């Protein structure tokens, strides 16, 4: 499952890729001129526009790869955190069992002490009667 940060990274990557594609579309289509005119609105040739679109596409690809790396690292951190959480839950469960065992042992110890006190009192009464 993706966290909030990973979703933001993916959204930014998609936004950047979309903007680069839009820029490439605008550059490759010229400025709406038709016919044999090879110069765009700003005086650049179609070849220059195509080269610029290719450059923008490379930049977008690099940004997408960077975002993908960030998402992969985030997934690794999430997996590691999930493993640590499972370990912690196991530790809590083991601790609860240990607490219950200690309580049970304490109850048995109290019963033994009460039995010993009762036996000692009964013995003292018997000795006092003789």
């Amino acid at each position: 499952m993706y966290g909030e940060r990973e979703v933001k990274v993916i959204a930014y990557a998609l936004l950047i890729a979309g903007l680069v594609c839009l820029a490439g579309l605008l550059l490759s289509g010229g400025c709406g001129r038709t016919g044999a005119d090879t110069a765009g609105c700003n005086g650049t040739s179609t070849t220059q526009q195509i080269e610029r679109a290719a450059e923008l596409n490379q930049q977008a690809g690099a940004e997408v790869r960077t975002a993908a790396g960030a998402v992969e690292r985030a997934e690794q951190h999430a997996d590691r955190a999930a493993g640590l959480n499972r370990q912690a839950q196991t530790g809590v469960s083991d601790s609860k069992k240990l607490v219950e065992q200690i309580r049970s042992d304490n109850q048995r110890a109290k019963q033994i002490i009460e039995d010993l006190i009762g036996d000692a009192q009964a013995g003292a009464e018997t000795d006092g009667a003789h």
Side-chain angles (χ1 to χ4, degrees):
M1 195 52 59
Y2 295 115
E4 184 178 329
R5 182 170 184 238
E6 293 80 19
V7 170
K8 285 181 182 179
V9 169
I10 291 170
Y12 286 132
L14 291 175
L15 178 65
I16 290 169
L19 290 174
V20 170
C21 289
L22 179 61
L25 178 65
L26 291 174
L27 289 175
S28 66
C31 294
R33 292 182 183 233
T34 58
D37 187 8
T38 59
C41 293
N42 59 2
T44 59
S45 70
T46 303
T47 303
Q48 289 172 323
Q49 291 175 347
I50 291 171
E51 288 171 357
R52 178 68 180 143
E55 179 184 320
L56 292 172
N57 281 334
Q58 287 177 348
Q59 290 174 0
E63 292 297 327
V64 169
R65 284 188 295 278
T66 299
V71 169
E72 183 178 338
R73 287 188 302 278
E75 287 175 345
Q76 291 171 353
H77 288 301
D79 288 344
R80 193 169 28 243
L84 291 172
N85 189 34
R86 281 190 298 275
Q87 289 176 353
Q89 288 174 347
T90 300
V92 167
S93 177
D94 291 346
S95 295
K96 285 180 180 180
K97 289 176 186 175
L98 184 59
V99 167
E100 287 302 316
Q101 182 65 40
I102 290 170
R103 285 182 180 159
S104 176
D105 289 347
N106 283 344
Q107 190 62 34
R108 277 196 310 250
K110 285 179 183 179
Q111 186 61 47
I112 290 170
I113 290 171
E114 288 173 6
D115 289 346
L116 289 173
I117 291 172
D119 289 347
Q121 288 174 349
E125 289 176 7
T126 304
D127 289 341
H130 288 301

